[in-house]
Amino acid sequence: MAALDRVKVLVLGDSGVGKSSLVHLLCHNQVLGNPSWTVGCSVDVRIHDYKEGTPEEKTYYIELWDVGGSVGSATSVKSTRAVFYNLLNGIILVHDLTNKKSSQNLYRWSLEALNRDVAPTGVLVTNGDYDREQFADNQIPLLVIGTKLDQIPETKRNEVLTRTAFLAEDFNAEEINLDCTNPRYLAAGSSNAVKLSRFFDKVIEKRYFLRDGNQV
């Protein structure tokens, strides 16, 4: 059997937001029983059928690179992670819906991975506002995933999801909100599953079909 083509997708976000649980769910369709802190980077693989159900259908490996989430602006911290950012094809930005700070830090994570965070302090927030133009010409497909949806009280859910919708808009990305301990949020045919498949298709297209300006 011929080896499958593959793409590299970074999974970025603060420590404790549930990146390892998410990656395990995406790759194995199972809940991760005892998640632990990721040191450095952990890589897992998901098999994805590009343009499933069409004549163009083809199977690819999606490499999900779960990068340890220690937040820091020191040069040494960034240079240690920089090795994982080479030759990336897509980015999944993960935040904890119960932790607003983890949502705000997604701007730092994305710019760091895209090698565009040149500010010495890494601070991208000014009175709560972000410069959306920093992402205007980004060619790397992004997906925003909010975790721990089950932990948001019903009375606050609309407020939180409205805020995160603006977050995804800033990145020109679709968003998925879920509970990593419940596989039904990514059940086949669900809106979340469709968004995820669409994102992976986009990553594959950017990697294999748009490099020379040739569209599928």
Side-chain angles (χ1 to χ4, degrees):
M1 180 178 176
L4 297 179
D5 288 330
R6 60 188 61 213
V7 292
K8 175 181 177 180
V9 176
L10 295 180
V11 181
L12 302 177
D14 289 0
S15 293
V17 297
K19 298 188 302 299
S20 296
S21 296
L22 173 66
V23 169
H24 191 81
L25 182 62
L26 292 177
C27 295
H28 305 285
N29 195 33
Q30 294 177 341
V31 174
L32 181 60
N34 296 295
S36 58
W37 299 106
T38 300
V39 177
C41 181
S42 176
V43 182
D44 209 339
V45 177
R46 174 188 172 97
I47 296 176
H48 174 72
D49 291 324
Y50 170 74
K51 289 202 169 182
E52 186 176 10
T54 73
E56 292 83 18
E57 180 175 338
K58 182 180 177 181
T59 303
Y60 289 83
Y61 282 137
I62 308 290
E63 292 183 350
L64 294 172
W65 290 54
D66 173 12
V67 179
S70 298
V71 176
S73 58
T75 302
S76 60
V77 175
K78 291 183 180 180
S79 62
T80 300
R81 286 196 293 258
V83 66
F84 305 129
Y85 299 159
N86 293 329
L87 303 176
L88 65 94
N89 305 120
I91 302 175
I92 295 177
L93 298 167
V94 186
H95 64 113
D96 175 352
L97 292 166
T98 69
N99 181 349
K100 188 175 181 179
K101 176 83 169 175
S102 73
S103 305
Q104 294 173 334
N105 280 339
L106 291 186
Y107 295 90
R108 294 178 60 177
W109 283 110
S110 58
L111 291 179
E112 180 182 305
L114 296 170
N115 295 315
R116 299 179 62 185
D117 181 3
V118 295
T121 62
V123 176
L124 302 174
V125 186
T126 305
N127 297 324
D129 294 324
Y130 298 88
D131 180 7
R132 297 183 183 184
E133 295 303 314
Q134 294 175 99
F135 305 97
D137 59 352
N138 170 47
Q139 297 300 308
I140 302 295
L142 303 175
L143 177 67
V144 177
I145 296 186
T147 62
K148 307 183 185 181
L149 179 62
D150 58 308
Q151 296 182 24
I152 303 175
E154 286 291 341
T155 54
K156 292 186 177 181
R157 187 162 292 191
N158 284 340
E159 174 189 341
V160 171
L161 296 186
T162 298
R163 170 171 55 79
T164 62
F166 282 111
L167 177 75
E169 184 178 328
D170 278 356
F171 289 114
N172 190 29
E174 287 193 296
E175 70 166 343
I176 292 173
N177 297 309
L178 47 67
D179 164 18
C180 293
T181 66
N182 193 335
R184 74 178 178 83
Y185 281 98
L186 292 174
S190 66
S191 62
N192 285 345
V194 171
K195 289 178 182 179
L196 189 67
S197 180
R198 194 156 52 209
F199 168 71
F200 288 141
D201 279 2
K202 186 184 297 184
V203 171
I204 290 166
E205 287 177 355
K206 290 285 187 179
R207 168 67 177 86
Y208 289 102
F209 300 100
L210 300 180
R211 286 179 298 173
D212 302 317
N214 298 317
Q215 302 235 1
V216 178

